[in-house]
């Protein structure tokens, strides 16, 4: 799905990398610890093997995963998230929170590991040292940073 969107927009550019069919579900498997081709394929019923292979190669080229050889004959790899790939966990958590609020049937929820209660998404400004409301967020061009 390379460069499908040629727009000066961060969302469009991110979708060029992670917006195609199956990619986020592949990431989900990696985040859950399923790191081999076969373990990913087993858990993604219906994904064509050539598509899984292509997606893994593309994600490696984009620097979101690395492939580590764990068996030479035949060659088999473990796919590990890079720091950039691990940063997608915030996107996943946001999608889960949205699903809790808006889906008729939601299969997952986010809870605090210490007390077991539901968590909420908050925005924080480190300069002001304050939690801010969604209404107080302004999207600006990156050249204004």
């Amino acid at each position: 799905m390379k460069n499908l969107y040629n727009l000066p927009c961060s969302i469009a550019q991110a979708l060029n990398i992670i917006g195609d069919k199956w990619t986020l579900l592949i990431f989900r498997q990696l985040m859950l610890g399923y790191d081999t081709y076969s373990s990913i394929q087993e858990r993604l019923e219906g994904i064509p093997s050539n598509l899984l292979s292509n997606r893994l190669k593309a994600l490696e080229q984009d620097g979101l995963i690395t492939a580590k050889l764990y068996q030479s004959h035949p060659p088999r790899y473990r796919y590990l998230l890079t720091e950039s790939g691990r940063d997608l966990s915030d996107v996943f958590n946001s999608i889960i929170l949205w699903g809790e609020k808006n889906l008729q049937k939601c299969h997952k929820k986010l809870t605090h590991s210490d007390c077991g209660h539901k968590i909420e998404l908050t925005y924080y400004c480190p300069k002001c040292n304050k939690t801010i409301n969604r209404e107080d967020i302004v999207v600006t061009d990156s050249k204004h940073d």
Side-chain angles (χ1 to χ4, degrees):
M1 181 173 180
K2 297 296 168 204
N3 299 319
L4 181 63
Y5 304 107
N6 190 23
L7 301 170
C9 169
S10 298
I11 293 171
Q13 297 308 307
L15 288 174
N16 283 336
I17 298 171
I18 62 168
D20 49 14
K21 187 174 182 180
W22 296 105
T23 298
L24 289 178
L25 295 174
I26 292 168
F27 264 104
R28 179 178 177 269
Q29 297 308 312
L30 291 167
M31 287 180 183
L32 292 172
Y34 302 106
D35 61 358
T36 63
Y37 181 92
S38 60
S39 67
I40 295 168
Q41 189 173 39
E42 284 174 17
R43 286 159 184 81
L44 293 178
E45 184 178 324
I47 189 170
S49 59
N50 63 327
L51 191 126
L52 175 56
S53 179
N54 290 341
R55 294 290 189 269
L56 289 169
K57 287 175 189 168
L59 292 170
E60 187 176 14
Q61 289 173 348
D62 289 329
L64 299 176
I65 65 172
T66 58
K68 300 288 184 194
L69 186 69
Y70 73 90
Q71 178 181 312
S72 298
H73 299 290
R76 295 187 187 210
Y77 297 88
R78 291 199 188 286
Y79 297 95
L80 307 169
L81 295 168
T82 62
E83 183 178 345
S84 181
R86 286 188 299 276
D87 284 345
L88 282 169
S89 65
D90 295 327
V91 174
F92 279 82
N93 290 342
S94 294
I95 292 171
I96 291 169
L97 289 170
W98 180 88
E100 283 184 68
K101 184 177 177 184
N102 295 287
L103 296 176
Q104 288 181 2
K105 184 175 183 179
C106 186
H107 299 275
K108 302 287 181 193
K109 65 180 180 177
L110 297 179
T111 57
H112 183 217
S113 62
D114 286 348
C115 68
H117 286 88
K118 285 177 50 171
I119 63 164
E120 298 176 0
L121 179 66
T122 58
Y123 297 97
Y124 175 75
C125 177
K127 178 151 175 60
C128 301
N129 195 27
K130 293 188 338 189
T131 300
I132 57 174
N133 295 319
R134 181 187 319 171
E135 298 79 26
D136 296 326
I137 297 171
V138 177
V139 179
T140 60
D141 290 334
S142 60
K143 58 186 162 199
H144 292 126
D145 289 343

